Amino acid sequence: MRLKGMTAIVTGAASGLGEATARRFAEEGARIVVADIDGEKAAEVARQIDASGSTAIALACDITSAAACGDLVARAEDFFGAPIDIFHANAGTSFSTPLGEAEPGRIERTIEINLLGAVFSAQAAMPSLVRSGNGVLLFTSSLQAILGRPARSVYTATKHAITGLVKSLALEFGPQNVRVNAIAPTGIDTPLLRLQLSRVTDDVDARIASMAASLPLGRMPTPRDFTDAAVFLASAEARCITGQTLVVDCGASAGIAEPRPAAS
């Protein structure tokens, strides 16, 4: 119950890591706003967290709209009758196309969601987090925030930008007792990852195993590993941590790993 009595908004919470985080925050005692562009899926997640609707609600929000982000925070404050203590800006999109083959509209949309959406979320959340007196702003970043990767140029650029955004906001709002951090995972074994891999291979399990074997720890992070990091950064245990990007990557960013021996 490390988040007992706190109110949290999680964007992109109708599925994937956002959903996992919303559920975990609730388990830790937080009141939850399940925010997502897909209002119906968000509502189902909120019902599963709390069927009574008293400690978990769903709100539809398009984070690429500054007005929608502002309305999200205002409605959450109105429902719970208190400022927001935690805002997890998790919503984002992927990009895996060689730059020379990428359509301009897809490039613009990736930047709009991953970067402008993060900025608009922060801009809307900060007044409430300041009023909280002990606010926490979290971003979902990526290993691509500190490394590069072929065919991920636009995605990598947006995640590098989040690293700078975290540092600047930590300096700007630290004096008002708001902490700002990001979580940067490598690939996590989720249904979405498996769906993406199914488009390029007939043996998803083998590809997952190969990805895990390429990491120094020989395994991939799980959604639980991600939510462990989120709970820690949102809790009082991390009260002196701000302006940081916490990498959750089973050692991928440490350097070039030696190939692991095949299992006998």
Side-chain angles (χ1 to χ4, degrees):
M1 301 297 285
R2 285 176 286 177
L3 307 181
K4 185 176 181 179
M6 304 177 77
T7 301
I9 294 176
V10 182
T11 65
S15 61
L17 294 179
E19 178 183 353
T21 302
R23 292 180 183 277
R24 182 69 188 283
F25 280 1
E27 291 173 2
E28 293 287 344
R31 301 179 296 183
I32 299 296
V33 177
V34 179
D36 200 281
I37 195 168
D38 189 330
E40 291 186 5
K41 287 186 178 180
E44 179 58 28
V45 172
R47 282 193 295 269
Q48 292 174 7
I49 292 173
D50 177 17
S52 74
S54 61
T55 63
I57 62 168
L59 294 175
C61 179
D62 178 356
I63 62 166
T64 65
S65 164
C69 290
D71 184 60
L72 169 65
V73 174
R75 292 171 66 190
E77 284 188 320
D78 182 64
F79 183 86
F80 288 115
I84 302 305
D85 303 294
I86 305 163
F87 192 107
H88 185 177
N90 167 77
T93 189
S94 62
F95 180 96
S96 56
T97 306
L99 187 60
E101 301 174 12
E103 297 180 356
R106 177 58 175 153
I107 293 172
E108 292 174 355
R109 185 60 176 164
T110 301
I111 294 172
E112 185 179 35
I113 294 173
N114 288 359
L115 183 52
L116 287 181
V119 172
F120 290 153
S121 294
Q123 185 181 47
M126 275 305 182
S128 189
L129 295 175
V130 168
R131 289 193 296 273
S132 164
N134 193 29
V136 175
L137 176 60
L138 292 177
F139 293 94
T140 294
S141 188
S142 166
L143 184 58
Q144 306 316 125
I146 59 173
L147 298 177
R149 189 177 178 188
R152 302 290 195 278
S153 57
V154 177
Y155 181 83
T156 298
T158 63
K159 295 304 182 180
H160 271 65
I162 295 299
T163 301
L165 181 64
V166 164
K167 292 179 181 294
S168 293
L169 292 178
L171 295 174
E172 185 172 347
F173 289 96
Q176 299 175 74
N177 208 35
V178 177
R179 295 187 294 107
V180 185
N181 294 293
I183 306 167
T186 188
I188 294 180
D189 189 355
T190 63
L192 176 60
L193 177 62
R194 288 179 173 269
L195 175 62
Q196 293 171 338
L197 291 176
S198 70
R199 297 168 181 161
V200 297
T201 180
D202 293 328
D203 194 340
V204 172
D205 287 337
R207 179 62 67 87
I208 291 287
S210 176
M211 294 170 65
S214 72
L215 300 173
L217 290 181
R219 62 178 182 270
M220 293 176 65
T222 66
R224 178 73 182 202
D225 294 316
F226 181 89
T227 62
D228 280 346
V231 170
F232 168 68
L233 290 174
S235 74
E237 295 172 2
R239 60 187 176 275
C240 291
I241 300 176
T242 193
Q244 304 302 309
T245 295
L246 178 59
V247 181
V248 181
D249 69 350
C250 293
S253 60
I256 299 174
E258 293 294 329
R260 297 177 66 87
S264 57

